[in-house]
Amino acid sequence: MKSPSMLRGLLSFSSMTMVSRVLGLLRDISISHVFGANVATDAFWVAFRIPNFMRRMFAEGSFSTAFVPVFTEVKETGTHAQLKELMSRVSGTLGGVLLVVAALCVLFAPQVATVFSPGAIDQPHKFTLTVELLRLTFPFLLFVSLTALSGGALNSFHRFGLPALTPVILNLCMIAGAWWLSRHLQTPILALGWAVFAAGILQVLFQLPALRQLDLLTLPRWGWNHPDVRRIMRQMLPTLFGSSVSQINLLFDTVIASLLISGSQTWLSQADRFLELPLGVFGVALGTVILPSLSRHHVATDHEGFSKALDWGLRTTLLIAVPAMFGLMLLAQPLVATLFQNGQFRPFDTRMATLSVTALSFGVPAYATVKVLLPAFYARKDTHTPMRAGVVALITNMLLNGVFLLTLYAMWAPPALKAGPLLDGLSKVPGLHLALGMASALASYVNLLLLWRWLQQADIYQRQAGWSRHLTRLALACTAMILVLLLGRWYWPDWTQMQVIGRVWRLALLVCAGGATYVAVLFATGFRLGELQHD
């Protein structure tokens, strides 16, 4: 595929994803304003994170990375009737399996809550809320997976905009739930559960007209023994680990956070929201756009085109992810205070959420680069290598969670708490959730380094000329941006005591000044937009 087409696909996907992510931010601002950071919001974030974790595996990870190469191959080498048959069989099989999974999870919601939120067992109100919310949010898994199926098909036809815009529906529903429906329910937080349930159905319906235009809208049929369905299923299992390590880590963090002080789940979720902007708009977008291209180059045995497409993805990722990391780390408190500190969200919550943002943002370059490296393996039907890297990173994260958590507890806990039971002490010391963010960020770099090493060993990627010049420009531009942001933070050190208007214009000034400095130095050192295209 020619680069301009891939660049247009990236811009289309990114622009639509940007709309979704901005609305996602407004969604979290609404939730923080209406509900604050407390037992109820912690219960919701646990109940939402579990099916949402599955969404990311299927919509942005395992299913898409297994489905798109097979779908693209049938599209390139088979007939339209075969393509339509594949859609019918995959939707029927996927829908049937996930219908059973969702039904079981709804039925056994108390047991699921016990596994993923053990800290709530001794708090009957919080536990009951978590169970009720789980029963509302779990059907979302079925609907959003069918949405991922149709989105993968649309992406294969280079229609990236509509699938990227679809998550807007979820955010709009949750905003409406927070501001409107919550006022009409005896238990206000349940409004968010109903919003998630409704959004799942609406997202499926939203993409059906586009499938009809491509003549791919067909009745689902069971196809467990269909050869292409079996190929997709075989490739899905390893990719569950390879493409979703950061999300599996986040799920483990959910379990540990349930043992910490109330509000920890909310602070972690807010930090994850800030990461969604660079990762969703650029990291996931690049991975989504580049996968069909790499798959086609592999089918055509075009090794040079394969390398050039991957090289383009890596360079573009670093241009966005590295400054995003430094920007998030230096502007963590201004961002949290400006966007969330109002209504029920207090200065203490701002300081706690800032810890999560600072720690997790360190991993942004690794998270984003992994999203681009994985398609290089999946396009070649190699799902086992990413799985190996993912398992190592997962184990690393779990070990680092324990090491950092115990270290911070030893440093910050008062002597009186240290003398008592550990679990009791963990639930009383604020700030320990910082350990979870630190562990996740470092584990993501372990995942990245392993994938890069095995990519080099496989000899499927030849680095293109100009990398030294590219990295030098990037380093100079980031250094200049960091100096500007440090000057701003020195001049305005504490953002928790400012008025809202003061926070808004100061943050806008810092973001514009930092961004303008980065872009100006980049162009001053010779960068041109034409470098975002490859021959």
Side-chain angles (χ1 to χ4, degrees), residues 229-249:
V229 174
R230 297 300 290 247
R231 286 170 63 199
I232 293 169
M233 293 293 183
R234 282 196 301 270
Q235 291 174 38
M236 273 185 67
L237 185 59
T239 61
L240 289 175
F241 294 96
S243 63
S244 307
V245 169
S246 62
Q247 296 309 315
I248 296 172
N249 286 339

Side-chain angles (χ1 to χ4, degrees), residues 201-232:
I201 299 173
L202 293 175
Q203 283 181 340
V204 175
L205 298 176
F206 182 67
Q207 292 191 355
L208 294 186
L211 286 180
R212 182 184 291 275
Q213 286 182 354
L214 295 173
D215 191 26
L216 290 174
L217 189 58
T218 178
L219 288 176
R221 297 171 62 193
W222 184 252
W224 188 262
N225 292 319
H226 189 278
D228 288 329
V229 174
R230 297 300 290 247
R231 286 170 63 199
I232 293 169

Side-chain angles (χ1 to χ4, degrees), residues 283-297:
V284 173
L286 278 164
T288 302
V289 170
I290 208 173
L291 178 58
S293 177
L294 292 175
S295 298
R296 187 161 51 257
H297 287 310

Side-chain angles (χ1 to χ4, degrees), residues 25-49:
L25 193 57
L26 291 175
R27 173 197 83 188
D28 287 0
I29 291 171
S30 300
I31 293 172
S32 296
H33 182 88
V34 174
F35 300 106
N38 49 45
V39 168
T41 49
D42 276 4
F44 168 73
W45 287 119
V46 171
F48 181 57
R49 193 174 292 152

Side-chain angles (χ1 to χ4, degrees), residues 386-399:
M387 182 185 71
R388 289 162 56 204
V391 170
V392 174
L394 188 63
I395 294 171
T396 301
N397 179 72
M398 294 171 65
L399 293 174

Side-chain angles (χ1 to χ4, degrees), residues 381-392:
K381 313 293 192 303
D382 178 7
T383 56
H384 293 283
T385 299
M387 182 185 71
R388 289 162 56 204
V391 170
V392 174

